[in-house]
Amino acid sequence: MSGEPDEPRGTGAVIPAGERGRTTIADRVVAGIAAQAAREALGPLPRSAARPQATVVVRPQAPHPAGPAGTPVDTARVRIHLELDYPTDIGSRCAQVRCHVVERVGALVGMAVPEVAVQVERLHLAATAAQGRTR
């Protein structure tokens, strides 16, 4: 055993990475990972809030700035739709979602994520704020 992971057994030849094939990950799988990352970033939400939803457009073969020269990496443009509790710092929560989605999609599927658009669909008044409010 030579310790070379790229060496096929019994042939002694190393197959270049570009000739070994390519793994393709479906847009809906990336969308599911992005939605899960948004849920992780937000933490617990009000019971009446819908779960974050994501739509993704994957573009193949963009050059990755951090990778070795010529290494093609797919890019994913993500749009997250979510509902938040209120009062809250909406900008900060959206920034947390953006950062976490970029990190998790990159780590789990190896895609660059140059754009994460967060759309807040609805705000839910927190139960404690609703009880203290009178007219």
Side-chain angles (χ1 to χ4, degrees):
M1 184 169 206
S2 65
E4 298 274 335
D6 294 336
E7 186 176 308
R9 292 181 188 226
T11 64
V14 176
I15 300 172
E19 295 177 18
R20 282 185 253 152
R22 175 173 158 80
T23 301
T24 303
I25 300 171
D27 292 10
R28 63 187 167 93
V29 172
V30 179
I33 292 169
Q36 176 62 36
R39 285 190 290 274
E40 292 169 1
L42 290 173
L45 289 174
R47 286 186 189 177
S48 59
R51 296 175 66 156
Q53 300 293 316
T55 54
V56 174
V57 176
V58 175
R59 302 277 187 233
Q61 303 290 319
H64 192 281
T71 303
V73 174
D74 290 346
T75 61
R77 298 199 184 280
V78 179
R79 178 172 295 278
I80 302 284
H81 302 269
L82 51 88
E83 298 180 7
L84 296 175
D85 51 347
Y86 187 82
T88 188
D89 183 353
I90 297 170
S92 173
R93 303 277 308 267
C94 291
Q96 289 172 337
V97 168
R98 281 187 200 96
C99 290
H100 199 65
V101 167
V102 168
E103 176 187 313
R104 297 297 287 160
V105 169
L108 294 174
V109 296
M111 289 184 179
V113 184
E115 177 183 332
V116 178
V118 179
Q119 183 170 342
V120 178
E121 298 284 334
R122 183 177 300 156
L123 296 173
H124 293 269
L125 191 58
T128 56
Q131 291 172 352
R133 185 175 174 188
T134 58
R135 283 191 173 226

